[in-house]
């Protein structure tokens, strides 16, 4: 399969945003990836998921199920499950705690991949993985359409940053690395210029 220009897919969908953004981590950035805009086109979602599935197949990893943390990871995870022909479940927050609900069950020894739309530090993916492990499932890999460059993915020369929460012994698959400026909220040059950070993600609107 020809290598896809992932950044161009985001640009085409007006999903590579410039401005002053408040991230889920509490940090600020001048750039934001809005994967929901990319995935609203089912054909594009299928193309991206098939490319990600190809990476996973080529690695030789065999999984039984994909789990995504709601809400952002659901579309990406479902399309990836469809491309790999495995079942799909999702976790969601209840009173702030990541939880497996809706009658979903995990078999002891069942092999999982946890999929997000975007992997930043991997915190939400790690919480979803913990839900799976508590029920006896095994986490063989993590995946995302885009990797923000804090975690090391298969096929990239980028090294793992201290902010990454994903374990070193479990591979991360993603289609592209996106490296953007990120600032501590107490030392943000955009704030010093008088700009106010907005929250574009699902938790803020």
């Amino acid at each position: 399969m020809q290598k896809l220009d992932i950044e161009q897919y985001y640009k085409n969908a007006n999903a590579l945003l410039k401005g002053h953004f408040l991230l889920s981590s509490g940090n600020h950035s001048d750039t934001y990836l809005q994967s929901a805009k990319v995935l609203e086109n089912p054909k594009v979602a299928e193309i991206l998921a098939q490319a990600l599935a190809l990476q996973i197949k080529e690695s030789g990893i065999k999984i039984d199920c994909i789990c995504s943390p709601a809400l952002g990871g659901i579309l990406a995870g479902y399309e990836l499950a469809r491309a790999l022909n495995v079942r799909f479940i999702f976790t969601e927050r209840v009173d702030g705690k990541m939880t497996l609900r809706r009658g979903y069950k995990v078999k002891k020894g069942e092999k999982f991949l946890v999929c997000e739309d975007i992997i930043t530090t991997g915190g939400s993916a790690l919480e979803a993985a913990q839900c799976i492990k508590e029920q006896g499932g095994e986490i063989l890999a993590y995946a995302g359409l885009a990797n923000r460059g804090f975690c090391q993915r298969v096929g990239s020369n980028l090294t793992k940053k201290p902010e990454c929460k994903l374990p070193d012994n479990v591979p991360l698959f993603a289609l592209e690395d996106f490296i953007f400026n990120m600032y501590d909220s107490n030392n943000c040059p955009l704030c010093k210029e008088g700009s106010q950070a907005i929250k574009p993600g699902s938790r803020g609107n």
Side-chain angles (χ1 to χ4, degrees):
M1 179 183 290
Q2 183 178 1
K3 179 175 170 55
L4 301 177
D5 188 341
I6 305 304
E7 182 174 336
Q8 192 60 52
Y9 275 99
Y10 274 83
K11 288 179 177 178
N12 291 346
N14 295 318
L16 185 58
L17 311 178
K18 296 291 185 179
H20 184 189
F21 304 105
L22 172 63
L23 306 178
S24 296
S25 63
N27 293 315
H28 293 194
S29 180
D30 57 6
T31 310
Y32 189 84
L33 290 175
Q34 181 57 282
S35 287
K37 289 291 294 177
V38 178
L39 296 173
E40 72 177 342
N41 184 327
K43 187 60 182 177
V44 170
E46 180 184 18
I47 290 170
L48 298 182
Q50 286 178 347
L52 191 55
L54 182 61
Q55 287 189 23
I56 296 162
K57 290 175 182 176
E58 288 178 343
S59 76
I61 290 176
K62 304 290 186 182
I63 61 169
D64 303 310
C65 184
I66 287 175
C67 177
S68 290
L71 183 63
I74 289 180
L75 289 178
Y78 184 83
E79 282 296 327
L80 181 58
R82 194 157 69 96
L84 290 171
N85 194 29
V86 297
R87 80 180 182 109
F88 170 78
I89 62 176
F90 64 87
T91 59
E92 55 196 304
R93 293 188 187 278
V94 179
D95 297 326
K97 178 178 172 57
M98 197 69 81
T99 308
L100 192 64
R101 302 174 64 205
R102 304 178 190 274
Y104 289 141
K105 300 295 182 185
V106 174
K107 297 176 183 177
K108 185 173 179 59
E110 193 172 11
K111 296 173 172 54
F112 278 82
L113 178 148
V114 176
C115 182
E116 277 269 39
D117 55 347
I118 300 168
I119 294 289
T120 304
T121 63
S124 294
L126 199 62
E127 289 179 75
Q130 185 60 34
C131 294
I132 298 302
K133 290 192 286 187
E134 286 173 357
Q135 293 200 17
E138 299 179 18
I139 306 299
L140 297 193
Y142 294 90
L145 298 180
N147 176 40
R148 284 282 279 103
F150 297 102
C151 300
Q152 186 174 28
R153 68 178 176 92
V154 174
S156 172
N157 293 324
L158 291 179
T159 57
K160 181 179 179 178
K161 306 296 190 299
E163 295 89 344
C164 181
K165 298 177 181 179
L166 298 181
D168 293 329
N169 62 338
V170 181
L172 167 64
F173 298 93
L175 295 175
E176 188 60 87
D177 297 317
F178 287 83
I179 312 299
F180 304 137
N181 294 321
M182 193 168 76
Y183 312 108
D184 184 276
S185 59
N186 296 317
N187 191 30
C188 173
L190 302 174
C191 290
K192 292 177 181 178
E193 293 173 357
S195 173
Q196 184 174 357
I198 63 169
K199 176 68 174 173
S202 60
R203 295 184 195 176
N205 53 359

